[in-house]
Amino acid sequence: MIKHSIRRRIVAIVAGLIILMMATSILSMVMVGRLGHLLDELTTRYNPANEHLTRIHVLSLERALALRRMVIAKMQDPPDEAGYNARKQLYDAKNAEVDREAQAARELINAIIADTDTPSDNAALARIESRIDSLLSDGRSLLRKETGELLALLDARDFSAVRDRLSRVDVLRDELIQRIDALREEMLQVSRNAITTIRGQQSQAVLISAIATLLAAVLGLIFANLVSGGIIRSVRQLLEGTRAVEAGHLDRSIDVTTRDEIGELATAFNRMVVQLRDNQRVRETFGKYIDPRVVEGLIDHPNLTATEGQRRFMTVLFCDLRGFTSLSEGLVPQGLVRIMNRYFSLMSEPIRTNRGIIDKYIGDGIMAYWGPPFVDEADHARFACQATLEMVERIETLRREVPDLLGVRGTPMEKCDLRIGVATGEALVGSIGSDIMMSYTVMGDVVNLASRLEGANKVYGTRNLISGRTIAAAGSALEFREVDRIIVAGQTRPEVVFEVLGRNGELTPERLASRDIYREGLAAYRERQWDDALRTLKASLEAMPGDGPSLALLARIESLKANPPSEDWDGSWRIEK
């Protein structure tokens, strides 16, 4: 479906006008080009053809004069042979020039006829060309014959016959000149007709350009009026609807009559009015909830307000600030408040950007969860792990900012760190509270496990511990390592726990080597191969000095070597706190 946008309609109008203007310009250029071609033909063919015919007339008169001077030179006593010969050469030269001028005139006339791009009178031009040919072949042949006989009589010095023959030559010459003049007049008339045609086409070009320009202006005004009128009507409806909403009348809606941006705006306005009506109910029903994502979710799914709760597969996160006690003892209340506000801001942002719900703040701890209806069941474990990694990365930012927040250097914050526990499993989700205050929260073993995993970081010197079910559901976007198999307080089933190391493809070679070596040491530990485990874990520490899980297992193995476990021990370790 083609989207009708206001801009597209306006651009279409402008494009149409531009096309019309271009068509007008092209038409004008074509017509001007034709006029130029006609003018070129007039100046390069018609006028030179007339000039050639005029020169034929002049040359005929000059030949007649040369012939008379030849007669006079012969009739002198004694005859002027030198003058006669000179006049004879001039006479012959003029005769050749007449042939050349006639041939040039014929070629120009034939070129005009052959040019089909010009509206010339080809019939008249063809008659003129044929008459020039007849003039050269017939008229001049008879004159040349009479002139030859005249010259023969002149050489015989028969002057009486010469005078008689000269009269006949003059008559033939006058007839020839009259025929040449008639040709010239006819050629001039054809030239005048061509000039008339040029003037007519010039007037036609001006008229067409004026009509096209006027048409473009009229169409532009019509389309602009139609578009602006439709926009103004729709905008007025929106303005009236907005004023009605401003006055508190939420039962008003706008008719959507177009599919452009104004229509989309009207549709959005109607949706907004519906949302405002729903929000009135939301303020009364969900005003007790804290996290905006909870409110949004409950608006989209009103059945979540049921107090009986629902069982859902969720991922829960607990975060705690290690060293908070020593930090709080060394700071004044105002400084501590600034640090904690900044701490909660930094750590809450990764949770929310990864679509998590912050359930509550507990002292310096944060509880958050992911799951339906806020996040699809296939994605919440991955989002929780991504949030965990981003939170770990932000602890260095907090350490850098604390001195500026307090205005001092060397604060206890430099020793503070994060402890994060993440677990995935079935949880009870629902609205819990009193008649005046309620909370949409999660409860169950998964919440206890996440909390215990957060505390277990103390044992392993890690910043995060992730349950095995979370890792299985998170996919391959992040790099993990198995840390241990533990039994937390309140549970009897062992849980395999992991540590988020970083994003896939971003770990250093040293970190990857340490992970692989630690895996071998953990396997040897579970097989009770204490010496191999000790050697391998020490190698892990060489690859990654200060690695908390390696140190923890080394200390545990030394204890187990002194006090071996029972035969049915499966490598699980109980965490009491």
Side-chain angles (χ1 to χ4, degrees):
M1 181 183 295
I2 298 177
K3 180 180 178 182
H4 300 282
S5 65
I6 295 175
R7 184 172 70 175
R8 181 173 297 178
R9 290 161 65 183
I10 294 175
V11 169
I13 294 171
V14 174
L17 294 176
I18 291 174
I19 292 173
L20 189 58
M21 291 173 63
M22 291 177 62
T24 304
S25 300
I26 293 172
L27 180 61
S28 299
M29 291 171 62
V30 171
M31 299 189 72
V32 169
R34 289 194 63 189
L35 288 174
H37 188 54
L38 289 173
L39 289 173
D40 289 340
E41 187 177 65
L42 184 66
T43 56
T44 60
R45 293 173 181 171
Y46 281 93
N47 291 341
N50 284 315
E51 291 173 1
H52 288 308
L53 292 176
T54 301
R55 280 197 291 272
I56 291 173
H57 176 82
V58 173
L59 290 171
S60 297
L61 293 177
E62 290 177 351
R63 287 174 65 248
L65 180 61
L67 181 62
R68 285 190 174 277
R69 288 179 177 178
M70 289 166 59
V71 173
I72 293 171
K74 278 289 188 178
M75 292 178 70
Q76 291 181 4
D77 189 18
D80 184 6
E81 293 295 335
Y84 174 84
N85 292 330
R87 301 298 186 277
K88 182 68 167 59
Q89 290 178 359
L90 179 62
Y91 178 86
D92 293 335
K94 296 297 180 181
N95 191 40
E97 286 185 27
V98 168
D99 292 335
R100 289 195 297 270
E101 295 293 337
Q103 183 62 30
R106 290 179 62 197
E107 289 176 357
L108 290 172
I109 292 172
N110 287 328
I112 297 173
I113 296 173
D115 189 354
T116 58
D117 294 333
T118 55
S120 55
D121 189 353
N122 292 336
L125 290 171
R127 287 197 303 270
I128 294 172
E129 193 273 340
S130 63
R131 289 175 63 185
I132 293 175
D133 183 66
S134 175
L135 181 69
L136 293 175
S137 60
D138 297 334
R140 290 188 63 220
S141 297
L142 182 60
L143 181 61
R144 191 178 293 112
K145 178 182 177 182
E146 292 292 334
T147 301
E149 292 177 358
L150 173 65
L151 295 178
L153 292 172
L154 192 60
D155 289 335
R157 302 187 65 81
D158 187 356
F159 297 124
S160 175
V162 166
R163 292 186 180 90
D164 180 65
R165 186 69 63 174
L166 183 61
S167 298
R168 293 174 60 185
V169 168
D170 289 338
V171 172
L172 291 176
R173 184 197 65 237
D174 292 338
E175 291 177 356
L176 180 62
I177 290 175
Q178 288 177 0
R179 293 173 64 185
I180 292 173
D181 289 339
L183 280 174
R184 289 172 56 206
E185 183 61 29
E186 188 171 356
M187 189 64 193
L188 286 173
Q189 184 60 42
V190 173
S191 300
R192 294 189 193 98
N193 293 338
I195 294 173
T196 302
T197 300
I198 292 173
R199 290 175 178 173
Q201 293 199 2
Q202 183 180 18
S203 300
Q204 183 181 12
V206 172
L207 179 62
I208 291 175
S209 298
I211 292 174
T213 303
L214 180 62
L215 180 63
V218 171
L219 289 176
L221 289 174
I222 292 174
F223 287 135
N225 186 60
L226 291 175
V227 172
S228 62
I231 295 174
I232 290 173
R233 284 192 298 272
S234 300
V235 170
R236 284 177 179 172
Q237 289 183 357
L238 285 170
L239 180 59
E240 293 173 1
T242 304
R243 288 174 177 172
V245 171
E246 184 180 17
H249 304 297
L250 301 180
D251 56 347
R252 180 73 177 272
S253 63
I254 297 175
D255 294 332
V256 180
T257 57
T258 62
R259 293 190 298 171
D260 54 19
E261 286 85 349
I262 298 296
E264 293 180 356
L265 185 58
T267 302
F269 178 88
N270 291 336
R271 288 198 299 265
M272 180 194 70
V273 173
V274 173
Q275 289 291 332
L276 289 174
R277 286 199 297 264
D278 293 339
N279 286 344
Q280 286 184 335
R281 179 176 57 85
V282 169
R283 291 190 187 96
E284 299 172 358
T285 306
F286 302 120
K288 299 177 281 292
Y289 292 92
I290 298 174
D291 195 298
R293 289 287 308 280
V294 175
V295 178
E296 293 175 5
L298 294 175
I299 291 172
D300 294 335
H301 304 276
N303 60 317
L304 297 183
T305 58
T307 56
E308 60 269 17
Q310 297 178 354
R311 288 199 170 273
R312 294 183 180 275
F313 199 70
M314 310 285 287
T315 297
V316 181
L317 177 147
F318 274 86
C319 173
D320 185 68
L321 184 63
R322 190 186 73 188
F324 173 74
T325 302
S326 59
L327 176 68
S328 61
E329 291 175 352
L331 295 176
V332 296
Q334 294 84 351
L336 183 61
V337 168
R338 284 197 294 270
I339 292 175
M340 296 310 298
N341 286 341
R342 184 56 181 158
Y343 159 72
F344 283 128
S345 297
L346 283 173
M347 298 306 156
S348 298
E349 185 176 353
I351 295 174
R352 291 191 175 179
T353 55
N354 285 282
R355 303 177 63 181
I357 303 298
I358 297 177
D359 185 83
K360 59 178 69 71
Y361 298 117
I362 312 169
D364 62 324
I366 302 173
M367 175 184 171
Y369 59 86
W370 285 258
F374 312 108
V375 182
D376 292 339
E377 189 170 313
D379 298 327
H380 56 72
R382 175 171 54 87
F383 282 128
C385 292
Q386 289 176 348
T388 299
L389 182 59
E390 293 176 18
M391 292 168 72
V392 170
E393 292 171 347
R394 287 177 176 237
I395 190 64
E396 294 299 330
T397 302
L398 181 62
R399 288 173 176 171
R400 290 195 304 267
E401 292 180 356
V402 165
D404 294 330
L405 292 173
L406 299 178
V408 296
R409 294 289 182 265
T411 64
M413 189 62 203
E414 297 172 358
K415 300 179 180 179
C416 292
D417 210 334
L418 285 183
R419 290 197 297 259
I420 300 174
V422 181
T424 300
E426 191 176 73
L428 179 64
V429 187
S431 300
I432 300 173
S434 65
D435 293 338
I436 60 173
M437 184 64 184
M438 302 183 72
S439 175
Y440 186 83
T441 188
V442 296
M443 297 181 297
D445 289 341
V446 66
V447 179
N448 177 67
L449 177 58
S451 176
R452 299 299 182 182
L453 291 180
E454 178 267 314
N457 284 283
K458 300 177 185 178
V459 176
Y460 296 96
T462 53
R463 286 177 168 174
N464 67 85
L465 288 176
I466 316 295
S467 72
R469 298 183 72 177
T470 305
I471 298 300
S476 58
L478 300 173
E479 295 283 359
F480 306 91
R481 73 163 168 177
E482 183 180 348
V483 175
D484 201 356
R485 185 164 53 234
I486 63 175
I487 302 173
V488 300
Q491 292 187 357
T492 58
R493 182 176 56 86
E495 182 76 31
V496 179
V497 294
F498 294 78
E499 179 187 11
V500 180
L501 299 179
R503 295 175 182 84
N504 192 7
E506 296 183 0
L507 294 185
T508 62
E510 295 79 8
R511 191 59 169 157
L512 290 171
S514 174
R515 180 185 65 177
D516 295 339
I517 297 171
Y518 180 83
R519 184 187 300 118
E520 295 176 7
L522 182 62
Y525 158 76
R526 289 174 177 168
E527 295 295 329
R528 305 190 186 195
Q529 299 174 3
W530 310 124
D531 293 336
D532 291 341
L534 287 172
R535 185 180 61 257
T536 307
L537 292 172
K538 289 177 181 179
S540 174
L541 283 174
E542 292 177 1
M544 186 60 64
D547 182 54
S550 297
L551 291 171
L553 281 187
L554 282 172
R556 187 186 303 169
I557 291 171
E558 294 292 346
S559 175
L560 290 174
K561 288 178 65 176
N563 299 291
S566 61
E567 292 296 330
D568 59 350
W569 180 70
D570 62 354
S572 301
W573 193 258
R574 181 174 294 277
I575 305 296
E576 299 297 337
K577 295 183 180 180

